[in-house]
Amino acid sequence: MKSSALAAYGVLGLPLAMAMLPIYVLVPNFYAADLGLGLALTGTVLFLARLLDTIQDPWLGRLIDRHTPRGWTLLLATAAIALSLAMAALLIPPGSLGRPGLAIWLGALLALTYTLHSLINITYLAWGARLSDQPNTRTRVAAWREGAGLFGVVLASVLPSILATQFGMAAALATFAITFAVLLCIGTAVLLLAAPRPHRIVRTAAGNWRLPLRNMAFRRLAGVYFINAVAVAIPATLALFFIADRLQLAELTGLFLALYFVSGALGLPFWTRLADRLGKRRSWRIGMLTGCAAFVWAVLLEPGSAWAYAGVCMMSGLALGADLALPPALLADIIPAEERDSTAAYFGLWSFLAKLALAIAGLALPLLALSDYQPGTPAGWNLALVYAGLPCLLKLVAARLLTSLPCGESKPCKRP
């Protein structure tokens, strides 16, 4: 498959990835502080909306599988327009709602935004899984998608902060909403008009979201993926705390995050080529071990260690490419040919596991509270151990379990 075709597919990954960062990071503070909703009410609304977002994905996969690829075109076009409008309404709320009205507005728009984003994302993942029956091509499909997504995350982390410094948070979010809508519509149009079409599948048991659970290879891969996803989610949850309170370098947060994500994008071609040579399973395990070797040094960093932490961000970012590109490609490989009409059901459960991992990673905060860590105060080894030590331990467990995982690839597995 030509690079131009893969690029046409991958470009939608950019706006889809940039959508969630402002919602998770900026919206809570914007509604709670700037709009006066308050922490308790904002937190309650966020919890309920995220709970819905976590449990709905398997059912969305079932809905998507009931449509043919022709139906996916209308589904994606409609959902993209609706998501653009929902994001704009969420980030540019009316000014005279009052606290009860503002809480209802936030809850309704969050639920709608989460649902539409999941609907597009699961369809998009299923589209990529059906582009080719060649395992190596599936790896490249995932690499293009995740590479675009990483640049979307960088854009989402940099653009609002720069705009907020110059014009204030309300103007920054409004500009972001417009930018997101333009990029989402462009990405969707390019996918629908220029990307390769997904293979048509003879329909059999489509629409049964429990079908993937009967696949032993999926259950084993999902277990490894979930443990590794928790290992990735914990540092994502604690990164701002670690940079500000352990390293005491809050002013460099944007640069550290950008370095991490850009390194991840630059590392994707390496993991793609390595997977071609060694297989995806073995390459992913190497990526896990490489990530551990790079990230564990964060435990030893003292306040002010800017250059050392930049090195950790760069090396662990390079390893991130393996976590992004190889697991979804492995998932596409293990879906039996007779179940290809249920591709979205597989990716619906996959998305559910990713969001569940984020929820579980949130438990790191009360764990730190039990160790007497207080945000905004200088932190000791307790924060460093939970931020870097615990994720590395989980990655080692996942890497060990991966050794017994069937490859799901056309060529025999090579033992690592």
Side-chain angles (χ1 to χ4, degrees):
M1 191 176 294
K2 294 182 178 180
S3 295
S4 58
L6 293 173
Y9 167 76
V11 68
L12 181 58
L14 191 153
L16 286 179
M18 71 181 289
M20 289 296 103
L21 188 63
I23 293 178
Y24 279 109
V25 177
L26 301 179
V27 164
N29 185 72
F30 179 60
Y31 272 80
D34 294 24
L35 300 182
L37 188 57
L39 286 175
L41 190 51
T42 301
T44 301
V45 173
L46 287 172
F47 171 76
L48 294 175
R50 289 174 183 176
L51 180 63
L52 170 66
D53 183 42
T54 299
I55 65 177
Q56 71 181 345
D57 285 0
W59 281 271
L60 291 177
R62 177 183 181 182
L63 172 66
I64 294 163
D65 276 330
R66 288 180 172 177
H67 292 75
T68 64
R70 183 186 295 271
W72 288 0
T73 299
L74 179 60
L75 187 69
L76 285 169
T78 304
I81 295 172
L83 179 57
S84 299
L85 296 174
M87 181 72 81
L90 176 65
L91 300 182
I92 315 173
S96 57
L97 290 174
R99 290 185 76 243
L102 189 62
I104 294 172
W105 181 272
L106 174 61
L109 268 299
L110 277 175
L112 182 60
T113 301
Y114 284 145
T115 300
L116 291 169
H117 185 275
S118 294
L119 189 66
I120 296 173
N121 192 52
I122 295 170
T123 307
Y124 183 49
L125 291 169
W127 182 305
R130 288 197 192 179
L131 284 182
S132 175
D133 292 327
Q134 299 299 318
N136 290 346
T137 301
R138 291 190 187 122
T139 307
R140 291 183 175 85
V141 167
W144 277 91
R145 178 182 64 234
E146 302 302 334
L150 285 173
F151 284 110
V153 171
V154 173
L155 181 61
S157 63
V158 172
L159 181 62
S161 61
I162 293 176
L163 292 173
T165 302
Q166 297 292 325
F167 307 107
M169 183 55 69
L173 291 178
T175 304
F176 180 88
I178 296 171
T179 304
F180 169 75
V182 171
L183 292 176
L184 179 63
C185 291
I186 290 175
T188 304
V190 171
L191 175 73
L192 299 180
L193 298 176
R197 308 300 296 180
H199 291 172
R200 296 183 64 87
I201 305 296
V202 177
R203 301 182 67 79
T204 55
N208 184 354
W209 69 268
R210 299 181 184 85
L211 185 64
L213 299 178
R214 302 170 190 164
N215 184 335
M216 181 177 292
F218 172 77
R219 295 199 302 269
R220 295 169 69 180
L221 176 63
V224 174
Y225 171 74
F226 178 70
I227 295 172
N228 187 69
V230 174
V232 174
I234 290 174
T237 302
L238 300 180
L240 299 184
F241 299 99
F242 182 82
I243 295 170
D245 296 339
R246 177 58 183 167
L247 299 181
Q248 300 175 23
L249 296 169
E251 69 279 3
L252 299 179
T253 298
L255 291 176
F256 288 140
L257 294 178
L259 180 61
Y260 176 71
F261 289 120
V262 170
S263 297
L266 294 176
L268 281 169
F270 167 78
W271 295 110
T272 300
R273 295 189 182 95
L274 189 68
D276 290 345
R277 293 176 59 87
L278 303 180
K280 290 186 273 290
R281 182 186 65 92
R282 188 179 184 186
S283 298
W284 188 21
R285 184 168 183 253
I286 293 172
M288 289 181 187
L289 297 176
T290 302
C292 286
F295 194 59
V296 72
W297 295 104
V299 175
L300 304 178
L301 296 183
E302 298 287 346
S305 304
W307 286 106
Y309 187 64
V312 169
C313 289
M314 183 178 67
M315 297 307 298
S316 59
L318 290 172
L320 174 68
D323 286 330
L324 293 176
L326 302 182
L330 270 170
L331 173 58
D333 289 344
I334 66 169
I335 301 176
E338 64 272 14
E339 295 179 12
R340 288 286 172 183
D341 59 340
S342 294
T343 304
Y346 277 87
F347 280 101
L349 284 170
W350 197 253
S351 180
F352 165 79
L353 291 173
K355 292 173 181 177
L356 182 60
L358 281 172
I360 290 178
L363 297 177
L365 292 174
L367 177 63
L368 285 170
L370 292 174
S371 68
D372 297 327
Y373 164 66
Q374 295 294 327
T377 62
W381 296 108
N382 50 352
L383 177 57
L385 287 172
V386 177
Y387 170 73
L390 180 57
C392 287
L393 178 61
L394 290 173
K395 271 190 170 290
L396 291 175
V397 172
R400 179 65 185 87
L401 293 175
L402 193 59
T403 59
S404 60
L405 184 74
C407 284
E409 301 173 58
S410 57
K411 57 186 178 183
C413 289
K414 298 179 180 179
R415 296 296 295 178

